[in-house]
Amino acid sequence: MSSRKSKSSNLIQADYISQVQRILRERFCHQSPHGNLFGVQVQYKHLIELLKRTAIHGESNSILIIGPRGSGKTMLINHALKELMEIEGVSENILQVHLNGLLQINDKIALKEITRQLNLENVVGDKVFGSFAENLSFLLEALKKGDRTSSCPVIFILDEFDLFAHHKNQTLLYNLLDISQSAQTPVVIIGLTCRLDILELLEKRVKSRFSHRQIHLMNSFSFPQYLKIFKEQLSLPSVFPEEIFAEKWNENVQSLSEDRSVKEVLQKHFNVSKNLRSLHMLLMLALNRVTPSHPFITAADLMEANQLCSMDSKGNIVHGLSVLEICLIIAMKHLNDIYEEEPFNFQMVYNEFQKFVQRKAHSVYNFEKPVVMKEILVRYLGWEDPLQRG
Amino acid sequence: MAYYSARLRTRQTYSWVGRPLLDQKLHYQTYKEMSMKREGYSTEIHIQVGQFVLIEGDDDENPYVAKLVELFEDDSELYSKKRARVQWFIRFCEVPVCKQHLLGRKPGTQEIFWYDNPTCNSNISVETIIGCVRVVALAPDEVMPIDLKNKKTFFVKLSWNEKKFKPLPPEVFAQLNKLQEDNHRYQKPMQAKTKSAESPSWTTTEHAVKRIESRHSTSKSRHTASHPVTPRARKRLELSSFPRTPNTRISPAASCASLDSPGRMKRKVAFSEVMSPSKRSLPDGFQTSSPALKAPEKTGEIQHSCTKDAKKTSPDHGMILRARAPALKITETSEERTLTPIGGGRKSSVVPSVILKPEYIKRREGKEPEVQDEAPSTSRIRRKSSVLTLNRIRQQLRFLGNSKSDENDEEFLPAAEISDCDSEEEEASTTPLPRRTPNSVSRNLRSSMKSSLQTPSKTPKKTPEPRTPRDATPRIRSRNLTAQGPTNMLEEARLRLHVAAVPESLPCREQEFQDIYNFVESKLLDQTGGCMYISGVPGTGKTATVHEVICCLQQAAQANEVPPFQYIEVNGMKLTEPHQVYVQILQKLTGKRATANHAAALLAKRFCTQGSSQETTVLLVDELDLLWTQKQDVMYNLFDWPTHKEARLVVLTIANTMDLPERIMMNRVSSRLGLTRMCFQPYTHSQLRQILLSRLRHVKAFEDDAIQLVARKVAALSGDARRCLDICRRATEICEFSCQKPDSPGLVTTAHLLEAIDEMFSSSYITAIKNSSVLEQSFLRAILAEFRRSGLEEATFQQVYIQHVALCRMEGLPYPTMSETMAVCSRLGACRLLLVEPSRNDVLRRVRLNVSQDDVLYALKEE
């Protein structure tokens, strides 16, 4: 009787757990604009005001959002756009163009993509007609015809902005920024980049046309804030269907955040990297260990996850090597010491190996040369690193 | 559709009609009429002074339109002694592209403008005349008729004097209208006898002649009424009656067009008559006919040629003997050759014998304006019907047609009595039982309808093509929620401080403005060309100054202080490739599209060949350095064109580098660029201050100190006015943001400005280092330590790693694994705090700092 009860409750719990995992994984993996922003309220305010001025007053602007990878640049802009679109009357009065430097690798492709996304008249279906030059003059003409009060503002979002700066002559950037500095269609150019030296990449006349507004996202939070983020990221939303379970889960999270060993793990992780993406990775690994029989994350899970995260990849490789391979690597290590980083060839390694085998003939089988050759070829890359560790 | 091929024209011969009148003053012999004859066709076109003509131009599809003012023979001209003086009209497409917007509305499809420009050469060779056309003057409040099919008629509503569109001056309007009315009057059938008295434009001699003639014809026609089939005697009579009237154009064989084209406004009619063999008792060409043609509205006159037979005395009469006629006629006899004017709305007249020769028609329809000639092979027997019949017919027509048909009737009338009859005859002759009765009218109508129905098949109408991307209009969707205006002082200031807000005047560039203005103005006045090179760092107002100069010059041109000119702007940065500059220039100059090579050829032709006298062109080439090519042919051409005398091209070039000509140009290019150079110095702090003050003239949003501060800061940094404005704009935002009461934000203070400057210019490296993780910071320390140890500014990752491990041990940090450290290194590399080699070098990748060591130390020490 009681076993059946526990079984059915197990089933129910399994259901909850899969729901929890779905919600949390979505939170960790997608940069959804639904989550909260951490420590970037000032920057957010700056950005949203700027977007509003463009959308409502038709003011042209250009701005760069700069921050290391994983610092939440895209999340910031997504949040801002979401809020902007919720303002009444704005969503149908705004055009958005999203470009990514990794996809639009030259101006020609970028122009086509802009034209397509703006749905100008030379677009039929998904195809953009006309040559590069025609497209450029067409687009410029189109943007030039507008004016501040009557045209629909266009928001250009250039992800990986630094890659656009490598396009020939920076034609695209020049033209976009020129529009933002002249009385044409109102545009706001938002560049996202992780390079701090981005302004030095811009050509002088392009740079002059850029308004020099920059938003820096620096992960400038301290460990207590980090801990709070950790808590919030793991907590279930209040809309979770099974309140009792959610409560229990949240309690557990709360106690985790106060646990000493958990704090240690987090501190260690924080020391290595402050960005939220690596925190997400850690939590993801811990979350994966949750099962119906093990319904809540424990400090051990987190430690395990941290170990996985900080694992040394090359050390792991060495652990899995065969005896012959280990012997060869040791031989190479000797040679390296003897010749002081000078290169050596296979014959030298083989000779070294032979010497070793003769010394300890009883323990290691003397392999033929071709076999050794093969081993070397297979394992050649990355041999050095474990040895360096000594 | 209407394509006036030069090839076809080459075979035309031109001759004077009528006797010369000696112009005492000029010693020219002037004429009142000329005829054009196309070889291979025994037809000719007569054109009189006062008619509107099409004149061969650059664009075969859109020949020039002009009114013939005078015809004369000028022996001083080398090539063509036959000259004409014309009053030009201009098509909308000939108006410079940059000025087209001045019209302020869409031009009508057939709209032309009275070209009010005394400087334009109005003396042309008659050989350039292609044919006649009709022009209708409309009162300013009249609506432009939309008659897409009627390509032969143009409407004038406005005049264009190179500066603006104006309503037609009353006298011009009256003149044009009079011409039309003359037409009408002329053609009043009933008043054939008095007609001449009413037509003021004719000379009295002409009048006399006409009167005589008309009398003749009426009498004749009366005669004939009863004897339709015996034209001969009458004809002779008639012919003899006016052999010597060179200038008259009343043709006995007038057009029957009036009958045929009830609903149309203007048409020329040509007809032929059919002659059945049986009727031709005198096959000797007794009667050839002449086409009657006329562009009624334009000149009001009807042209016709007379037939002639041996009696013709005046050779210059313009009549043509058609020896071949009989033969042709015979072949065609049984056919219906009448031709009818084209039906509804199409302007061309119909040519007889068309049916037999479809290709002829086609060609002819292609050039509708010329249509008014004669039926090629027609010789006709003139039959005159009685006036009575005519009247009856006319009455009927009036009922049938609308008021316009009345006009038409009248227009054609002069010639008409007879011509009407003729047409009837024609009809009649084609039918087995010729009867001249009112029925024939309806038959005529029918035939005209028929022809109008048929024509479409011959000349397929242009159907509106499906929209192709090529025609797409570049346009961004417009917003439906209007943009809000500024609501408080700071927003107002922000709006004015935007770089895009163009101030009324550019302060602090007066000297440069004056220099450029003088340069361009002198070139305009001298009607020569020249180059100017303008350099200066970005944001010093180069382009803005040139724009202002052009703007002022355009105003001056409107006020007639300088000759009108055309302004074109290209920007090297807005081109995909240097050679595209030709395409852009050509397109802005003429509106045509061409490939780069073709455009270059066309431009070279335009600028380097004689005779293409246009107004001066001012060309602004921004970002000149982008036009550099290996061969430098683009720059060479741009600077070479102005050196041609005829080009009248002024090239203003802008670039950032002062010594660009010496640095990147070949000698032959820089020598053509010349030494007219100007350098825009960066703004000084007082200039920047003045700029800010002028923009904020009536807006009190900034403290004086704040303006002073920003001006000095920017002047010290770059002297870039854009920076200055951007900083101020950002400062207003900060001020607004920091202010508690949103309604009455205070003034922007120095604190706000300092914050803005700090935000824009402070190096982000130090903040980035301060905010990086512990491991990242210790890695940076390790790098510094390694540099110090090795004495080099570069180290391999391996070396740094060893330092890093030691450092971590010292500080009690957990042992950093190789993978972690590698990740740290990559992250720092991605932000460009470090410069690292690609990761394929693994531990051997070399690392260096992208920041100075002092900065790193400073940032790390703070903590």
Side-chain angles (χ1 to χ4, degrees):
Chain A
M1 186 71 187
S2 73
S3 82
R4 192 190 298 168
K5 207 174 179 180
S6 73
K7 208 181 258 174
S8 72
S9 75
N10 263 354
L11 275 179
I12 294 169
Q13 229 167 26
D15 189 38
Y16 295 155
I17 284 169
S18 71
Q19 279 191 50
V20 169
Q21 286 182 327
R22 193 174 46 76
I23 291 174
L24 294 184
R25 278 179 187 148
E26 207 160 272
R27 191 182 288 170
F28 298 153
C29 296
H30 296 173
Q31 296 160 330
S32 74
H34 302 289
N36 296 326
L37 288 168
F38 308 103
V40 291
Q41 273 69 28
V42 180
Q43 289 93 328
Y44 181 71
K45 179 102 180 156
H46 184 180
L47 182 64
I48 190 75
E49 287 297 320
L50 186 95
L51 287 173
K52 277 186 196 160
R53 273 201 307 278
T54 302
I56 296 168
H57 298 277
E59 184 181 303
S60 291
N61 267 313
S62 48
I63 191 166
L64 276 177
I65 301 176
I66 304 171
R69 297 209 181 277
S71 57
K73 303 180 290 292
T74 311
M75 192 146 86
L76 184 73
I77 185 76
N78 284 345
H79 267 272
L81 285 177
K82 180 167 159 272
E83 185 182 327
L84 187 69
M85 288 309 168
E86 281 164 4
I87 299 174
E88 196 191 345
V90 164
S91 60
E92 63 268 27
N93 275 320
I94 274 265
L95 295 168
Q96 293 185 32
V97 177
H98 293 261
L99 300 177
N100 190 319
L102 293 168
L103 298 177
Q104 281 79 42
I105 53 167
N106 60 38
D107 284 350
K108 187 175 173 178
I109 299 172
L111 275 178
K112 288 206 168 190
E113 184 64 17
I114 293 173
T115 324
R116 196 184 64 74
Q117 291 191 20
L118 286 177
N119 207 4
L120 296 182
E121 286 190 27
N122 59 346
V123 176
V124 177
D126 258 1
K127 269 194 94 109
V128 179
F129 285 84
S131 68
F132 181 26
E134 280 168 349
N135 280 337
L136 179 64
S137 56
F138 188 87
L139 182 68
L140 291 178
E141 191 64 24
L143 291 169
K144 203 171 167 183
K145 284 220 176 128
D147 65 356
R148 188 181 71 82
T149 49
S150 65
S151 300
C152 208
V154 188
I155 300 181
F156 287 92
I157 295 159
L158 309 184
D159 214 344
E160 308 293 345
F161 186 82
D162 47 317
L163 297 178
F164 286 98
H166 292 125
H167 293 181
K168 188 184 164 221
N169 290 342
Q170 300 185 352
T171 307
L172 182 76
L173 293 184
Y174 177 92
N175 286 309
L176 289 181
L177 292 173
D178 195 48
I179 290 160
S180 82
Q181 297 259 317
S182 53
Q184 303 181 358
T185 303
V187 294
V188 55
I189 320 272
I190 302 174
L192 310 181
T193 181
C194 63
R195 286 185 66 161
L196 298 170
D197 62 346
I198 180 68
L199 286 183
E200 288 149 45
L201 294 180
L202 298 179
E203 211 204 339
K204 58 185 182 305
R205 49 197 153 198
V206 180
K207 190 176 170 185
S208 166
R209 281 167 174 78
F210 169 59
S211 73
H212 280 64
R213 286 158 190 269
Q214 303 166 40
I215 292 179
H216 288 279
L217 297 179
M218 288 300 180
N219 295 328
S220 52
F221 38 74
S222 59
F223 183 66
Q225 280 170 306
Y226 191 71
L227 212 55
K228 233 170 95 191
I229 294 168
F230 162 79
K231 221 161 64 188
E232 271 185 55
Q233 290 289 301
L234 268 187
S235 301
L236 288 175
S238 53
V239 294
F240 191 74
E242 186 48 63
E243 283 179 28
I244 300 162
F245 183 82
E247 232 167 72
K248 275 206 279 181
W249 175 275
N250 287 346
E251 265 170 34
N252 178 52
V253 171
Q254 175 67 29
S255 64
L256 269 184
S257 67
E258 285 155 12
D259 187 289
R260 234 185 108 246
S261 56
V262 171
K263 278 188 180 169
E264 246 168 47
V265 169
L266 289 178
Q267 177 75 59
K268 201 174 162 225
H269 204 77
F270 181 73
N271 284 348
V272 173
S273 157
K274 280 166 103 176
N275 76 42
L276 294 184
R277 208 172 280 167
S278 72
L279 177 66
H280 285 156
M281 182 55 70
L282 181 80
L283 297 181
M284 189 79 149
L285 291 172
L287 184 66
N288 288 346
R289 300 177 66 87
V290 172
T291 59
S293 56
H294 177 70
F296 299 105
I297 295 179
T298 61
D301 293 336
L302 283 169
M303 275 150 71
E304 189 93 2
N306 184 42
Q307 218 158 25
L308 275 174
C309 281
S310 59
M311 190 180 284
D312 186 50
S313 52
K314 283 166 187 161
N316 282 348
I317 294 173
V318 176
H319 285 309
L321 291 184
S322 66
V323 176
L324 171 60
E325 286 161 343
I326 293 274
C327 292
L328 287 174
I329 284 176
I330 293 167
M332 288 180 218
K333 165 73 177 155
H334 285 165
L335 285 173
N336 215 16
D337 290 344
I338 295 164
Y339 295 104
E340 292 185 343
E341 312 275 311
E342 290 299 306
F344 40 80
N345 60 26
F346 170 68
Q347 189 60 52
M348 294 157 81
V349 177
Y350 188 69
N351 291 341
E352 195 68 26
F353 174 65
Q354 290 287 324
K355 269 192 252 166
F356 174 72
V357 170
Q358 279 154 21
R359 246 184 292 143
K360 314 205 166 182
H362 56 281
S363 59
V364 181
Y365 182 72
N366 191 2
F367 292 97
E368 294 300 317
K369 199 170 169 184
V371 178
V372 177
M373 183 69 162
K374 178 175 159 256
E375 284 305 308
I376 292 228
L377 287 179
V378 169
R379 297 289 182 179
Y380 194 71
L381 287 178
W383 64 273
E384 208 172 29
D385 146 51
L387 303 182
Q388 289 303 326
R389 279 177 57 200
Chain B
M1 187 157 97
Y3 192 83
Y4 305 92
S5 152
R7 249 177 304 133
L8 283 169
R9 282 195 307 267
T10 54
R11 293 187 297 148
Q12 293 184 344
T13 56
Y14 297 80
S15 57
W16 298 127
V17 177
R19 278 186 305 183
L21 305 169
L22 193 63
D23 185 318
Q24 298 294 343
K25 269 181 276 174
L26 296 168
H27 306 289
Y28 290 155
Q29 300 201 311
T30 62
Y31 299 83
K32 283 289 178 199
E33 187 177 359
M34 58 170 284
S35 79
M36 293 163 46
K37 184 176 176 190
R38 187 176 300 114
E39 274 169 32
Y41 299 96
S42 46
T43 64
E44 51 183 89
I45 304 178
H46 287 252
I47 300 171
Q48 267 198 336
V49 168
Q51 268 191 301
F52 298 88
V53 289
L54 290 174
I55 292 171
E56 171 180 342
D58 299 339
D59 183 352
D60 284 342
E61 285 180 40
N62 291 316
Y64 297 134
V65 182
K67 185 183 140 194
L68 213 49
V69 173
E70 196 180 11
L71 290 167
F72 60 93
E73 182 126 356
D74 182 358
D75 293 335
S76 63
E77 290 285 339
L78 234 56
Y79 301 107
S80 64
K81 296 188 172 163
K82 296 188 174 61
R83 310 294 295 178
R85 203 175 306 285
V86 293
Q87 161 63 47
W88 293 104
F89 289 88
I90 190 161
R91 289 173 193 259
F92 187 68
C93 57
E94 293 163 23
V95 175
V97 182
C98 56
K99 306 245 178 98
Q100 289 185 347
H101 65 274
L102 293 175
L103 181 57
R105 60 177 166 91
K106 270 196 79 156
T109 45
Q110 289 293 106
E111 182 168 11
I112 55 175
F113 306 95
W114 175 268
Y115 191 50
D116 180 15
N117 183 359
T119 61
C120 190
N121 185 6
S122 60
N123 184 343
I124 59 160
S125 162
V126 296
E127 280 158 34
T128 57
I129 294 177
I130 300 171
C132 294
V133 76
R134 221 190 107 170
V135 173
V136 180
L138 297 174
D141 47 347
E142 272 181 272
V143 183
M144 183 76 38
I146 300 175
D147 190 359
L148 293 174
K149 284 171 271 174
N150 197 342
K151 290 250 169 155
K152 243 195 322 187
T153 305
F154 294 94
F155 302 95
V156 192
K157 203 167 183 180
L158 299 171
S159 76
W160 166 246
N161 63 359
E162 286 296 318
K163 282 167 211 128
K164 54 186 161 208
F165 292 97
K166 285 192 286 206
L168 286 178
E171 64 277 7
V172 172
F173 185 68
Q175 191 191 346
L176 291 171
N177 266 347
K178 200 171 67 180
L179 287 169
Q180 277 170 256
E181 275 164 30
D182 285 349
N183 253 349
H184 299 176
R185 244 177 274 152
Y186 246 106
Q187 299 167 350
K188 274 236 153 74
M190 304 305 301
Q191 307 165 349
K193 294 187 187 151
T194 56
K195 205 183 343 180
S196 51
E198 290 172 356
S199 55
S201 61
W202 302 133
T203 63
T204 50
T205 58
E206 281 172 333
H207 290 185
V209 170
K210 274 180 220 152
R211 212 177 290 141
I212 292 165
E213 180 195 68
S214 53
R215 223 177 286 132
H216 269 284
S217 55
T218 44
S219 62
K220 269 173 233 160
S221 52
R222 255 180 225 128
H223 252 284
T224 36
S226 47
H227 317 281
V229 214
T230 56
R232 262 176 268 148
R234 239 170 311 173
K235 270 175 196 153
R236 233 181 249 139
L237 240 192
E238 166 192 323
L239 287 172
S240 58
S241 72
F242 45 38
R244 313 179 37 244
T245 60
N247 298 332
T248 48
R249 36 277 302 9
I250 304 207
S251 66
S255 64
C256 56
S258 57
L259 292 179
D260 291 335
S261 55
R264 257 144 286 130
M265 304 194 31
K266 26 265 10 239
R267 354 266 26 112
K268 310 118 190 225
V269 182
F271 19 161
S272 62
E273 284 172 34
V274 179
M275 194 146 240
S276 62
S278 63
K279 287 175 183 169
R280 276 209 146 250
S281 41
L282 292 180
D284 53 19
F286 155 51
Q287 194 84 50
T288 71
S289 81
S290 62
L293 3 141
K294 85 237 40 111
E297 287 225 26
K298 302 174 158 195
T299 56
E301 67 196 291
I302 299 183
Q303 228 159 323
H304 77 312
S305 58
C306 296
T307 65
K308 67 307 352 25
D309 54 2
K311 289 175 185 156
K312 228 78 305 139
T313 54
S314 58
D316 54 352
H317 188 136
M319 298 260 85
I320 303 154
L321 256 190
R322 304 275 161 79
R324 295 143 63 218
L328 285 172
K329 262 175 253 155
I330 289 159
T331 63
E332 292 164 8
T333 34
S334 51
E335 307 276 352
E336 166 168 340
R337 269 127 125 269
T338 94
L339 18 62
T340 64
I342 303 194
R346 185 160 289 226
K347 39 230 12 265
S348 64
S349 60
V350 180
V351 186
S353 71
V354 192
I355 303 156
L356 291 181
K357 314 181 175 177
E359 52 312 294
Y360 179 64
I361 280 209
K362 251 180 232 150
R363 198 203 63 190
R364 202 156 242 274
E365 286 193 341
K367 356 176 178 174
E368 282 159 336
E370 296 176 58
V371 188
Q372 51 217 27
D373 51 358
E374 48 329 358
S377 59
T378 53
S379 56
R380 55 163 69 143
I381 294 177
R382 309 244 177 87
R383 297 184 195 146
K384 279 109 211 210
S385 57
S386 71
V387 174
L388 269 179
T389 330
L390 248 186
N391 287 343
R392 233 181 289 142
I393 292 166
R394 290 174 43 72
Q395 267 167 3
Q396 276 208 336
L397 273 179
R398 269 197 206 118
F399 285 122
L400 290 170
N402 49 22
S403 59
K404 281 202 172 151
S405 67
D406 276 348
E407 283 178 16
N408 281 336
D409 288 353
E410 290 173 23
E411 283 167 23
F412 292 109
L413 281 188
E417 5 197 307
I418 295 149
S419 61
D420 284 357
C421 301
D422 277 348
S423 66
E424 278 179 55
E425 285 287 302
E426 287 168 10
E427 284 276 317
S429 63
T430 58
T431 54
L433 291 178
R435 278 261 169 265
R436 228 165 291 117
T437 64
N439 304 355
S440 60
V441 174
S442 59
R443 226 180 292 143
N444 262 346
L445 286 175
R446 239 183 287 126
S447 71
S448 71
M449 276 187 306
K450 213 193 296 159
S451 69
S452 68
L453 288 177
Q454 286 165 351
T455 36
S457 59
K458 286 173 196 155
T459 52
K461 264 180 230 138
K462 237 196 216 150
T463 52
E465 284 166 23
R467 191 174 57 90
T468 61
R470 196 163 268 278
D471 312 325
T473 44
R475 196 169 54 81
I476 297 282
R477 204 177 81 199
S478 62
R479 59 192 294 158
N480 32 20
L481 191 79
T482 49
Q484 283 180 12
T487 54
N488 63 30
M489 208 54 126
L490 283 178
E491 285 180 8
E492 172 73 25
R494 199 177 303 139
L495 190 65
R496 294 184 181 213
L497 286 170
H498 199 286
V499 182
V502 183
E504 310 88 61
S505 71
L506 287 176
C508 311
R509 287 294 179 219
E510 290 82 8
Q511 186 56 47
E512 286 83 357
F513 173 85
Q514 204 54 48
D515 289 351
I516 300 175
Y517 188 92
N518 291 345
F519 175 80
V520 181
E521 189 190 30
S522 67
K523 299 295 178 195
L524 287 178
L525 291 174
D526 299 349
Q527 311 214 329
T528 54
C531 294
M532 183 174 209
Y533 177 75
I534 299 166
S535 64
V537 295
T540 49
K542 301 177 294 298
T543 312
T545 306
V546 173
H547 280 164
E548 206 192 351
V549 167
I550 297 297
C551 202
C552 287
L553 280 169
Q554 274 166 345
Q555 280 167 6
Q558 284 196 342
N560 261 335
E561 286 156 19
V562 297
F565 62 95
Q566 195 169 5
Y567 170 65
I568 298 173
E569 182 180 345
V570 290
N571 187 324
M573 270 294 209
K574 298 187 177 173
L575 303 172
T576 52
E577 193 258 341
H579 291 93
Q580 287 291 331
V581 74
Y582 298 129
V583 180
Q584 296 250 319
I585 295 175
L586 185 74
Q587 188 174 0
K588 287 174 181 162
L589 208 54
T590 67
K592 287 184 213 160
R593 288 169 193 249
T595 62
N597 285 339
H598 188 209
L602 286 176
L603 287 173
K605 186 178 153 216
R606 183 184 168 108
F607 289 127
C608 305
T609 55
Q610 189 125 31
S612 55
S613 77
Q614 340 84 356
E615 55 193 13
T616 307
T617 307
V618 178
L619 173 64
L620 169 63
V621 184
D622 214 342
E623 314 294 0
L624 176 71
D625 47 332
L626 268 296
L627 297 184
W628 188 88
T629 53
Q630 189 65 46
K631 285 167 66 188
Q632 307 197 0
D633 49 339
V634 177
M635 286 184 179
Y636 179 87
N637 278 334
L638 283 179
F639 302 141
D640 190 43
W641 292 333
T643 62
H644 289 85
K645 196 165 114 275
E646 315 79 22
R648 296 171 66 183
L649 176 67
V650 182
V651 180
L652 302 172
T653 56
I654 298 182
N656 290 133
T657 13
M658 197 157 79
D659 54 349
L660 186 79
E662 286 72 30
R663 259 208 295 172
I664 67 167
M665 294 186 201
M666 296 185 225
N667 287 337
R668 61 168 184 230
V669 177
S670 56
S671 125
R672 276 171 174 79
L673 174 57
L675 292 169
T676 319
R677 303 208 186 153
M678 169 169 295
C679 187
F680 279 63
Q681 298 299 332
Y683 288 112
T684 64
H685 67 88
S686 57
Q687 286 174 324
L688 287 172
R689 187 160 165 269
Q690 206 179 329
I691 290 171
L692 287 177
L693 288 175
S694 79
R695 288 202 180 221
L696 294 171
R697 190 164 298 148
H698 303 295
V699 182
K700 184 65 187 156
F702 281 75
E703 286 180 355
D704 288 343
D705 282 356
I707 292 182
Q708 186 77 14
L709 172 84
V710 69
R712 284 186 183 271
K713 274 276 184 195
V714 174
L717 273 169
S718 60
D720 185 336
R722 289 192 187 111
R723 253 335 42 71
C724 194
L725 296 171
D726 283 334
I727 291 171
C728 291
R729 215 149 52 88
R730 176 66 187 137
T732 62
E733 287 167 22
I734 293 171
C735 175
E736 199 171 43
F737 187 51
S738 64
C739 186
Q740 301 307 317
K741 297 169 287 176
D743 294 335
S744 57
L747 294 182
V748 179
T749 62
T750 44
H752 297 132
L753 271 169
L754 280 175
E755 194 183 333
I757 292 170
D758 194 48
E759 196 179 281
M760 288 183 171
F761 296 103
S762 73
S763 158
S764 51
Y765 289 117
I766 292 175
T767 4
I769 294 173
K770 277 185 194 166
N771 285 317
S772 50
S773 71
V774 176
L775 206 60
E776 285 161 352
Q777 289 179 348
S778 72
F779 188 77
L780 286 171
R781 281 206 184 90
I783 291 175
L784 290 183
E786 176 60 28
F787 285 176
R788 210 170 301 133
R789 188 191 67 84
S790 68
L792 300 172
E793 290 284 287
E794 186 181 281
T796 63
F797 175 77
Q798 201 175 354
Q799 295 163 328
V800 178
Y801 181 67
I802 293 164
Q803 293 283 347
H804 184 56
V805 170
L807 213 64
C808 285
R809 256 183 218 145
M810 251 166 28
E811 297 194 359
L813 290 171
Y815 175 80
T817 63
M818 176 74 80
S819 293
E820 275 172 346
T821 318
M822 192 69 92
V824 164
C825 178
S826 297
R827 277 203 295 273
L828 294 175
C831 318
R832 287 303 192 275
L833 280 170
L834 299 182
L835 297 175
V836 293
E837 280 188 328
S839 54
R840 83 185 132 83
N841 287 344
D842 208 54
V843 291
L844 291 178
R845 75 211 290 203
R846 278 173 300 189
V847 178
R848 34 165 93 176
L849 278 177
N850 195 28
V851 208
S852 80
Q853 296 194 20
D854 293 341
D855 282 354
V856 178
L857 278 178
Y858 171 77
L860 293 176
K861 208 189 291 168
E862 280 294 294
E863 227 167 309

